[in-house]
Structure formats: structure tokens, C-alpha cells
Amino acid sequence: GYMGNSAETGGLVATDLVNDSSPQLGGDLQSNSNNIDFADNDKAIFGADSDLSVYHDGSASYFKNDTGNLTLETAQGDLFLKTLGDDIHIRAADNVHIESQDGGEKYALFQKDGAVETYYNNILRTKTTTTGLEVHRNSDNTNATGDVLLNVQNQSTNNSADALIRVQTSSATAHSKIQFGDPDDADAGALDYDHANNRLTVRLSGA
């Protein structure tokens, strides 16, 4: 191989890096405004057990972590995930959690084969179910006082625009209902619209 003089070590060092099968650095590698080029499927590997690798396979790029968690952290400023092409997909083997920086406050939870939950100030507010959507006041405090509020508010500057809640079926023979209940009676009453007969009724106790 080729040999060159090193002023730092006071001796000769091998400079034939192409044929050297085990080159080692004695200090930091400086790029000096140049690039480090990796061919397709060549990897930058990190960790004693090759735990993290970064590579491009010719059609897509990968950050592949085989041990522990993979954390993207910024000490200051925002963290942006940005695509100039198309969509952003979040894919999880189980659940997706959106939380505060220390994990102490929940913002949203997307459960595999289960509910989607949204939170206000770490308090559950909405939850999807097998039959629809639940609106919660405070699921963590059964003694909480106050109303459960579903507020439909028109913020338009057009004062003639309406605020609308629509209950609509996909069949003209079905009923559209707003149902009322309590812990003693799940069907204490309802506003019931009969599409077939064009009739709106107020009923009590499941009658």
C-alpha cells in the first residue's frame, strides 16, 4: 500500500484506504466542505452491535433501529416532518400516542382495533366507540360538577349563516333520533323523526 508522512504522529501512516480492510481513525474525521458519498444499500452504522443504520436502497431511504427506542429530539425550536411530494403516513404495530414532552400529559391516543381519544388539559373529552362517538366532561373524576357541553358555533362573519346539527339516515324507512338517558334508564326519551310518515314526535320511556 501507499505510505505517507504524518506530522501529528511523527511517522508513516497507510494512505491506501481502498485496499485497507480495517482502517481506523485516531481522531475526528473532518469533511472539509466535502461530502461523504454512500452507494445504494451502503450503510452508515452506529452502535457496538450495529444497532442503528442509515441507508438508501435505490428507491427509498431508511433510519433502521434494532435496539431500544428511536428518539428525534430538538433542544430548541420546533420539529418539522415535511414532505414536498405527497402524504405523511404514521404506521404503528400497536397504538399511536401524542403526548407532552415528558409524557405526563395526553393530547390524543389512537388505539389499534380500538378507540380514538382526544384530551383537553389531560382530561378525556371525546372517544370513538363501536357505535359512534362519546363526548366526556371528566372521565377521571366521577364527582366532577358541571355540564357536558357540545357547542356548535358559527364563527362566520356572514351573520345569515346557520349553525347546524344534522341527524340523517341512509334509508327513507329508518328513523332519525336524538335519544336521552340516565344511569337508571338508557332510553328515557327521544326526539324521533319518522321519514316514511314525515312525522316528528317527542316520546318518553321508550314508548
Side-chain angles (χ1 to χ4, degrees):
Y2 301 99
M3 304 297 291
N5 184 65
S6 171
E8 289 78 7
T9 61
L12 297 177
V13 296
T15 58
D16 185 9
L17 298 180
V18 174
N19 295 312
D20 188 347
S21 61
S22 58
Q24 298 184 23
L25 297 176
D28 294 337
L29 176 64
Q30 303 292 337
S31 62
N32 294 322
S33 301
N34 294 303
N35 299 323
I36 300 176
D37 295 328
F38 294 84
D40 289 346
N41 293 305
D42 286 349
K43 300 177 181 179
I45 298 176
F46 304 85
D49 297 317
S50 301
D51 307 295
L52 174 66
S53 58
V54 182
Y55 64 98
H56 182 80
D57 68 359
S59 59
S61 301
Y62 299 88
F63 279 79
K64 185 177 180 182
N65 179 54
D66 294 325
T67 304
N69 297 325
L70 176 63
T71 301
L72 301 178
E73 181 176 320
T74 174
Q76 295 182 359
D78 300 325
L79 175 64
F80 293 91
L81 298 177
K82 184 177 182 180
T83 174
L84 298 179
D86 207 338
D87 303 326
I88 293 178
H89 298 260
I90 300 176
R91 299 177 177 177
D94 200 356
N95 301 331
V96 175
H97 302 256
I98 302 179
E99 303 172 337
S100 60
Q101 177 267 337
D102 60 359
E105 184 168 343
K106 295 180 180 180
Y107 302 153
L109 171 62
F110 303 82
Q111 302 181 58
K112 181 181 180 181
D113 301 325
V116 174
E117 301 176 353
T118 61
Y119 293 77
Y120 175 82
N121 196 24
N122 210 33
I123 298 172
L124 178 65
R125 287 304 190 214
T126 64
K127 179 180 180 180
T128 60
T129 68
T130 56
T131 57
L133 176 69
E134 296 177 356
V135 179
H136 293 252
R137 184 189 183 278
N138 190 339
S139 64
D140 301 321
N141 184 356
T142 57
N143 295 319
T145 59
D147 300 329
V148 177
L149 176 63
L150 177 61
N151 186 19
V152 180
Q153 185 173 353
N154 175 22
Q155 299 287 352
S156 173
T157 56
N158 180 359
N159 293 330
S160 63
D162 299 327
L164 177 67
I165 296 178
R166 173 175 290 146
V167 181
Q168 183 173 334
T169 70
S170 59
S171 171
T173 60
H175 288 221
S176 296
K177 303 177 183 179
I178 299 177
Q179 186 171 313
F180 306 92
D182 55 42
D184 297 325
D185 188 351
D187 188 10
L191 291 175
D192 189 334
Y193 178 70
D194 181 353
H195 292 264
N197 296 300
N198 194 26
R199 181 174 60 198
L200 178 64
T201 59
V202 178
R203 62 175 179 80
L204 302 175
S205 300

